[in-house]
Amino acid sequence: MDSTDTFKIILLGESGVGKTCILRRYVDNKFQPAHLSTFGIDFRIKKINVYDRSVKLKIWDTAGQERYHNITKTTFKNADGILLVFDVTDESSFERIQFWMKEIESNLSLDLISLILVGNKSDIKERTISKEKGIKLAESLKISYYETSALENIGIDNAFMDIAKLMLKKNKIVDEDISLVENIKIENDIPKKKSCC
Ligand code: GTP
């Protein structure tokens, strides 16, 4: 008998934020600098272990371009988790998160779905969206915030691990208090003062 839990995850966000690169980094550990925009939809599978359970993630890469929005919306069906992705160097991709959130709310029950906010391209120094701004938006949406770089392989495993934990919890497969790997908080970045004497 296969005791693997299978979940459907969607990568959602504007065109060019790096959804395909995040997927390729996570599944193949590769980064392809320039390639064509995604047409329609595509999915990849990755098996991981969470809380000693085997979990199969079926990860759908959607197309951010407006002309594919209807196809993208059809992938929402039966989704267990969504990574809402923006590019930390692209203000408009950040503002469009609200649009994508409304699409989720009108197509899915927030009680059943696990969501996280992802600011990608954290390797780029000339960013326009600060970590604090990302955290604020995530807090207003009542979800956790992650920063990733598909280029430098930063934060991606943590984001998928945490969404897997959230889905196991939401589906009542585990009932322990989940401890997330990386729930970015501003305090984490404040260097601790060394105590003297
Ligand atoms: P659509 O398929 O059009 O929806 O775009 P997408 O969100 O899948 O973006 P894609 O993965 O195609 O990446 C867009 C561009 O951003 C490419 O030129 C990538 O090389 C670049 N890129 C993606 N992730 C990163 C990253 O973490 N850092 C940097 N510096 N560039 C990245």
Side-chain angles (χ1 to χ4, degrees):
M1 199 177 82
D2 184 9
S3 60
T4 307
D5 302 304
T6 303
F7 293 115
K8 178 177 176 180
I9 298 182
I10 298 176
L11 285 157
L12 202 61
E14 289 303 286
S15 181
V17 296
K19 301 179 295 295
T20 304
C21 289
I22 289 174
L23 181 59
R24 287 218 66 198
R25 173 61 81 191
Y26 186 54
V27 177
D28 302 325
N29 198 17
K30 286 197 176 119
F31 181 79
Q32 200 176 339
H35 58 89
L36 295 173
S37 270
T38 307
F39 318 110
I41 46 173
D42 186 19
F43 76 84
R44 301 289 306 276
I45 287 175
K46 178 149 171 150
K47 273 191 180 177
I48 56 171
N49 283 317
V50 189
Y51 297 128
D52 294 327
R53 303 183 70 89
S54 172
V55 173
K56 191 166 156 187
L57 305 178
K58 203 168 174 182
I59 311 163
W60 294 73
D61 180 18
T62 61
Q65 286 183 7
E66 190 122 23
R67 63 189 146 138
Y68 298 119
H69 280 185
N70 281 339
I71 309 175
T72 295
K73 276 194 261 175
T74 62
T75 61
F76 285 9
K77 275 191 195 157
N78 311 322
D80 300 293
I82 297 182
L83 275 76
L84 266 169
V85 188
F86 70 91
D87 170 349
V88 298
T89 70
D90 176 1
E91 189 115 27
S92 69
S93 75
F94 179 74
E95 281 158 11
R96 287 284 282 177
I97 290 294
Q98 299 286 6
F99 162 81
W100 289 112
M101 194 64 197
K102 285 202 180 87
E103 290 290 320
I104 294 168
E105 281 167 352
S106 50
N107 287 282
L108 295 165
S109 161
L110 290 185
D111 291 338
L112 301 177
I113 190 133
S114 300
L115 288 171
I116 61 171
L117 180 65
V118 175
N120 188 42
K121 308 194 188 179
S122 64
D123 56 280
I124 301 178
K125 299 244 164 6
E126 303 77 29
R127 56 194 286 166
T128 48
I129 306 298
S130 66
K131 199 177 271 187
E132 290 74 14
K133 237 174 144 179
I135 292 168
K136 245 187 176 164
L137 176 61
E139 282 175 352
S140 74
L141 301 173
K142 300 187 172 61
I143 60 181
S144 297
Y145 179 57
Y146 297 79
E147 293 213 331
T148 60
S149 165
L151 174 66
E152 292 187 350
N153 196 12
I154 298 168
I156 292 176
D157 285 357
N158 286 352
F160 280 101
M161 175 57 78
D162 280 1
I163 201 163
K165 287 180 178 177
L166 290 169
M167 293 185 301
L168 284 168
K169 173 104 175 155
K170 212 149 226 184
N171 285 274
K172 301 191 169 40
I173 297 166
V174 297
D175 54 9
E176 48 214 280
D177 271 342
I178 52 169
S179 61
L180 299 180
V181 180
E182 184 177 321
N183 182 0
I184 294 180
K185 294 254 186 260
I186 297 172
E187 305 91 81
N188 290 349
D189 296 333
I190 301 172
K192 286 200 178 85
K193 273 191 194 154
K194 279 191 185 144
S195 57
C196 165
C197 321

